[in-house]
Amino acid sequence: MDHFICNTCGVQYEKSAHYPEICSICSDERQYVNPEGQSWTTLNKMIDSSNYANKIINHEDGLYSITTTPAFAIGQTAYIVQNPGFNIMWDCITYIDDQTVEEIKHIGGIDAIALSHPHYYSTQVEWAERFNTVIYIHEDDRQWVTRPSERIIFWSGEFLELDEGVTLHRLGGHFDGGTVLHWKKEQGVLLTGDIIQVVADRQWVSFMYSYPNLIPLPATQVKEIAAKVKKLKYEKLYNAFHRVINENAHETVQKSAKRYIDALEGRFSNRI
């Protein structure tokens, strides 16, 4: 019996004697099954291989990223947001070992875990158990949980304050429960996973139903996302892949939403 992990998306499943026939995350049209076929690993195999390590970077006062090297599965980054007396892990990565746990404890540990959407559920229960904490997932994405746990809190509604100045906001889009984290530090920080995706040109962001399969979101959903985040104050934006907008992030999201909607509705021009 073991908790098998999909090699393509990095999400861990509940304990079983044999690996699942399919990964429900990857068989969905927003993700993909590896063309060479479905394959599985376990956390113990990853640790025993000595191939992986986690790199923890301090980006600014109170904000750390955690990234696995070499990249595994989707290769996203998780963050530790340090609010006074309360540390939140934003999104999750698959690989966790004793060294990672000790390094995070050295910077204050983890008091709560919050997820943007199912592609980053990873080994969230392993993390919660190692740090004796809870996991916040929007109830609209309940069906995508592959390893149930009493540590998971399914929250509802459009927002949830985790701590003073740290609030989850449901934007939908990429997934029905697609969530971002707003941190009222200084001029405001927005952590978006890829619910709002920073593109190669850091002056713009984008919005997709499926990134690997290039399926866009409808204009109506992008309008809703833009309207929801317009109410928030934030100067910086961090996505899940170390792409950062360091200033004017609020204006960047709004102008990007307009460009996206114009393109879908036939008003796009190369002279922007």
Side-chain angles (χ1 to χ4, degrees):
M1 300 285 283
D2 213 333
H3 293 287
F4 288 96
I5 295 169
C6 173
N7 275 316
T8 303
C9 70
V11 173
Q12 187 183 55
Y13 281 68
E14 59 185 329
K15 187 172 285 188
S16 61
H18 303 284
Y19 55 75
E21 291 186 10
I22 63 169
C23 171
S24 58
I25 301 293
C26 289
S27 60
D28 175 69
E29 63 186 356
R30 281 162 285 201
Q31 181 56 9
Y32 63 95
V33 177
N34 191 304
E36 297 181 1
Q38 179 70 59
S39 63
W40 302 89
T41 188
T42 66
L43 186 56
N44 285 335
K45 285 182 179 179
M46 293 179 70
I47 293 170
D48 291 344
S49 73
S50 301
N51 290 335
Y52 298 100
N54 285 334
K55 186 175 183 180
I56 300 176
I57 299 173
N58 183 204
H59 291 270
E60 59 179 272
D61 184 30
L63 184 66
Y64 292 80
S65 69
I66 314 166
T67 309
T68 301
T69 56
F72 175 74
I74 294 173
Q76 75 272 10
T77 291
Y79 289 90
I80 302 290
V81 176
Q82 296 182 313
N83 216 40
F86 192 81
N87 287 0
I88 303 99
M89 183 178 185
W90 170 245
D91 277 331
C92 197
I93 57 176
T94 302
Y95 189 71
I96 178 173
D97 58 11
D98 290 342
Q99 181 176 344
T100 301
V101 172
E102 290 306 311
E103 289 184 25
I104 293 175
K105 285 182 177 179
H106 184 71
I107 60 173
I110 296 171
D111 298 301
I113 299 170
L115 279 299
S116 65
H117 71 291
H119 289 160
Y120 302 156
Y121 287 178
S122 304
T123 56
Q124 56 183 2
V125 176
E126 300 278 354
W127 285 83
E129 289 179 350
R130 293 296 295 269
F131 289 96
N132 192 27
T133 190
V134 294
I135 303 163
Y136 289 92
I137 292 174
H138 197 276
E139 67 174 3
D140 285 353
D141 289 338
R142 179 192 293 262
Q143 71 187 87
W144 298 103
V145 171
T146 56
R147 182 180 172 184
S149 171
E150 293 182 353
R151 294 182 180 273
I152 299 175
I153 297 171
F154 293 102
W155 63 281
S156 61
E158 297 303 297
F159 64 90
L160 175 69
E161 187 174 58
L162 295 181
D163 194 44
E164 184 175 359
V166 180
T167 307
L168 303 179
H169 293 266
R170 190 198 73 85
L171 302 187
H174 189 34
F175 275 81
D176 290 343
T179 297
V180 297
L181 184 149
H182 182 239
W183 185 23
K184 289 184 180 179
K185 175 196 174 190
E186 298 172 353
Q187 294 179 294
V189 177
L190 196 67
L191 291 94
T192 64
D194 56 17
I195 303 303
I196 299 174
Q197 180 69 286
V198 182
V199 296
D201 183 349
R202 302 299 199 272
Q203 299 179 73
W204 301 91
V205 300
S206 195
F207 318 83
M208 295 288 276
Y209 179 74
S210 169
Y211 289 96
N213 299 320
L214 302 179
I215 306 173
L217 280 174
T220 53
Q221 290 192 30
V222 176
K223 288 177 183 178
E224 291 173 3
I225 289 171
K228 288 179 179 179
V229 295
K230 189 175 184 179
K231 302 173 185 178
L232 304 177
K233 179 183 177 182
Y234 58 96
E235 181 74 5
K236 296 181 179 181
L237 187 152
Y238 289 80
N239 82 340
F241 299 94
H242 279 159
R243 288 183 176 177
V244 183
I245 299 174
N246 283 308
E247 58 184 8
N248 300 320
H250 187 280
E251 293 80 1
T252 296
V253 171
Q254 294 302 313
K255 74 175 185 179
S256 297
K258 182 180 184 303
R259 181 174 77 165
Y260 186 104
I261 293 163
D262 286 348
L264 289 184
E265 295 184 344
R267 297 189 300 273
F268 187 78
S269 169
N270 289 327
R271 297 176 61 83
I272 296 176

